[in-house]
Amino acid sequence: ESKPVVVKKPVAVKSSKKIELRKELFAGTVMLLQDALKKRDIKVADEMKLQAVLETKSGELIPIAADWRGRAFFQDQKLRDRPVEIVGYRRPGVPYLQALVVYFFNKKGEREEFDYWCDICAIPMYEIKDCECCQGPSRHRYRQAELPDYLFLKGSSGKKQAIDETL
């Protein structure tokens, strides 16, 4: 009589240890993955056509999570194919960039923080849609801004030095 074979599957263990996520600055150009891969002579199916990625200056492709802040890159083509800086983080073992703050540059090269804005209710939104409050139209809002201090270390000379090398 043969015994049944029992295959033990690895069990995912959740750690009670909270992971400290470090906010970093990622710079490059956001584009659709299908277009980025086409530039690299890789043809993929239409199922990948809506995935947004950040192409860094070094040529790395970083997929963007379609969460509360990142989904605007999937929805609004005006946010793609132009220089961008994104403050965000990546979780260990996960390739996706979670965006927290988005910056573009005006014609003078000045950094501007971006969001969607309702002029009636004066509230920011982070995806392209009608105002959550009054249901009226929202618009692109750009405000001149410096990078947050938490992205820098003060060197011995007292000058700010970028923590991240992705620039």
Side-chain angles (χ1 to χ4, degrees):
E1 175 180 311
S2 65
K3 292 184 177 181
V5 176
V6 177
V7 177
K8 291 188 177 184
K9 294 182 180 176
V11 178
V13 179
K14 281 192 173 184
S15 171
S16 60
K17 203 176 193 183
K18 189 167 180 163
I19 298 170
E20 187 71 30
L21 298 173
R22 189 179 79 156
K23 296 172 187 165
E24 298 178 60
L25 183 64
F26 298 83
T29 303
V30 173
M31 60 185 61
L32 295 178
L33 176 60
Q34 195 173 46
D35 297 333
L37 293 175
K38 187 177 181 180
K39 284 175 34 178
R40 291 158 172 81
D41 294 323
I42 301 171
K43 186 175 180 181
V44 293
D46 281 346
E47 285 81 0
M48 296 183 86
K49 71 181 177 187
L50 296 179
Q51 172 64 56
V53 296
L54 175 70
E55 181 180 43
T56 66
K57 293 175 183 180
S58 67
E60 179 185 6
L61 296 179
I62 302 173
I64 298 173
D67 59 5
W68 69 277
R69 193 66 171 100
R71 70 188 309 182
F73 292 110
F74 293 72
Q75 301 169 336
D76 190 346
Q77 78 176 49
K78 291 179 182 177
L79 304 186
R80 298 190 295 259
D81 300 315
R82 57 193 277 201
V84 65
E85 289 180 339
I86 300 172
V87 174
Y89 53 85
R90 292 168 80 180
R91 296 175 185 273
V94 178
Y96 287 88
L97 168 59
Q98 291 187 269
L100 299 172
V101 185
V102 176
Y103 300 98
F104 291 105
F105 297 88
N106 63 24
K107 291 178 181 177
K108 296 178 186 175
E110 299 165 326
R111 180 181 291 106
E112 296 178 323
E113 186 174 344
F114 168 78
D115 58 24
Y116 297 97
W117 184 255
C118 174
D119 289 316
I120 296 166
C121 301
I123 59 171
M125 290 170 287
Y126 302 103
E127 62 181 297
I128 189 168
K129 63 181 180 178
D130 288 337
C131 177
E132 294 172 354
C133 180
C134 71
Q135 304 306 306
S138 63
R139 65 175 174 86
H140 286 200
R141 178 175 72 157
Y142 299 92
R143 296 172 292 140
Q144 202 166 12
E146 296 295 322
L147 292 174
D149 283 342
Y150 56 75
L151 293 175
F152 295 93
L153 293 174
K154 289 226 174 153
S156 58
S157 65
K159 290 186 179 181
K160 289 182 181 180
Q161 297 174 352
I163 292 174
D164 190 14
E165 299 299 321
T166 359
L167 296 172

